[in-house]
Amino acid sequence: MIRDCVPEDAARVCAIYNYYIEESTATFEEQVLTEAAMLDRIIAIQTQFPWLVIEEEGHVLGYAYASVWKDRSAYRYACEVSVYIAKEASGRGLGVQLYETLCERLSAMSMHTVIGIVSLPNEASVRLHERLGFVQVAHLREVGVKFGRRLDVGYWQRLLHAAE
């Protein structure tokens, strides 16, 4: 089941994300978050955009949300999207389900462009974005450093509405 994130989900969402902070280059954050810090993020995002979770038998297995792309008013119809799936639930298509639902919600809000930012290399994330119609529009070399490695970042973009 996909639904809006609620405050009671913050601990599980935090645990999912902290795995990626500690074990992965999928996020460039390097310090784990507290449940309170995650709850603050969820609440702040939800003032403007959806934050969704996917659950099975009452257990949150992943989440996706949108956030401001840039703060200038001309960018008001563009947003950044992110998805994280619990390690034990990866490879089951949950990210696809979350992103599809998120994009439907964003389209209903009149968002026009969604942008996914992927640390590279990350074959699974690239496949996910491209499966859902995102197109790579940029590749920035060595813009991040994590675990002593310089990392590239790719930008994938999807237009939600046909050109007007």
Side-chain angles (χ1 to χ4, degrees):
M1 174 176 73
I2 296 175
R3 60 172 174 77
D4 288 313
C5 188
V6 295
E8 295 76 21
D9 297 323
R12 179 62 179 149
V13 167
C14 189
I16 292 168
Y17 188 57
N18 281 340
Y19 165 80
Y20 288 96
I21 291 173
E22 294 181 306
E23 303 294 332
S24 166
T25 58
T27 177
F28 283 5
E29 285 202 72
E30 297 179 288
Q31 302 298 316
V32 296
L33 297 182
T34 64
E35 180 181 338
M38 181 58 78
L39 180 57
D40 288 345
R41 287 185 184 189
I42 293 167
I43 291 168
I45 291 290
Q46 288 180 326
T47 64
Q48 290 183 275
F49 294 103
W51 186 308
L52 305 175
V53 297
I54 189 165
E55 70 176 5
E56 187 175 88
E57 298 176 7
H59 190 66
V60 172
L61 299 176
Y63 65 93
Y65 64 93
S67 57
V68 172
W69 166 240
K70 298 282 186 186
D71 63 1
R72 304 287 192 272
S73 63
Y75 294 114
R76 66 187 170 277
Y77 299 107
C79 61
E80 181 180 338
V81 291
S82 299
V83 63
Y84 290 92
I85 304 299
K87 181 182 181 223
E88 69 273 11
S90 65
R92 295 177 40 196
L94 302 179
V96 170
Q97 292 175 53
L98 277 164
Y99 256 4
E100 285 177 338
T101 303
L102 182 62
C103 286
E104 288 170 8
R105 294 271 299 272
L106 293 168
S107 181
M109 295 171 57
S110 298
M111 283 291 120
H112 179 71
T113 301
V114 292
I115 300 160
I117 301 173
V118 179
S119 61
L120 299 172
N122 186 335
E123 281 185 43
S125 189
V126 169
R127 264 194 321 272
L128 169 68
H129 286 86
E130 292 181 352
R131 177 177 176 184
L132 291 168
F134 287 74
V135 175
Q136 186 174 12
V137 294
H139 186 128
L140 307 176
R141 302 209 181 278
E142 299 182 2
V143 294
V145 177
K146 189 168 180 185
F147 304 135
R149 295 177 32 214
R150 294 197 182 278
L151 299 164
D152 294 0
V153 171
Y155 284 57
W156 272 257
Q157 178 182 17
R158 177 178 165 187
L159 300 179
L160 297 177
H161 300 279
E164 299 163 358

